[in-house]
Amino acid sequence: VQLQASGGGLVQAGGSLRLSCAAFGRTFSYYVMGWFRQAPGKEREFVAAISGSGAGTYYADTVKGRFTISRDNAKNTVYLQMNSLKPEDTAVYYCAAGTIFGTNRYTYDYWAQGTQVTVSS
């Protein structure tokens, strides 16, 4: 499956952005989808994941209550709605597809190119 992420940009602290990730290829609903991010000089970290049906979601503690992951299987797209953004949310954001629901980036098999999110103070 091929993934294409979009929606990044520059936003002030307290603002919102919505990231999208479109999938092309195999049956989208088969895959767990995850969002990860990587700030300069840091390891890539888990942000959120959603099950194939969309019934199950999981968030990193750092974004819980501010970010919402969702998916539209009819459109082969997963979203990350980011509210109350903070400067520490600044990073390159990646979406990924896999078959195991979890936070471990090594269990995700397919990755989109990153999209930059910059939050100014």
Side-chain angles (χ1 to χ4, degrees):
V1 63
Q2 291 183 315
L3 303 174
Q4 184 172 11
S6 61
L10 173 64
V11 64
Q12 288 188 332
S16 298
L17 279 176
R18 188 176 82 156
L19 306 183
S20 299
C21 178
F24 306 90
R26 298 183 179 179
T27 305
F28 179 65
S29 60
Y30 174 77
Y31 291 98
V32 171
M33 298 299 296
W35 285 97
F36 292 76
R37 67 186 181 186
Q38 188 166 16
K42 294 189 176 182
E43 292 287 318
R44 190 170 299 188
E45 64 176 8
F46 169 80
V47 175
I50 187 165
S51 63
S53 68
T57 58
Y58 189 76
Y59 298 91
D61 288 342
T62 52
V63 306
K64 199 174 296 182
R66 300 188 297 122
F67 291 11
T68 302
I69 189 171
S70 62
R71 65 192 297 159
D72 185 338
N73 286 344
K75 295 182 178 180
N76 286 6
T77 302
V78 63
Y79 305 97
L80 185 69
Q81 178 66 44
M82 305 185 294
N83 299 329
S84 302
L85 282 161
K86 305 175 181 180
E88 51 264 43
D89 294 317
T90 295
V92 177
Y93 283 70
Y94 300 87
C95 69
T99 57
I100 298 173
F101 187 83
T103 64
N104 187 340
R105 59 178 170 155
Y106 297 107
T107 66
Y108 289 81
D109 303 306
Y110 305 97
W111 291 82
Q113 86 293 349
T115 184
Q116 176 71 47
V117 171
T118 303
V119 184
S120 63
S121 57

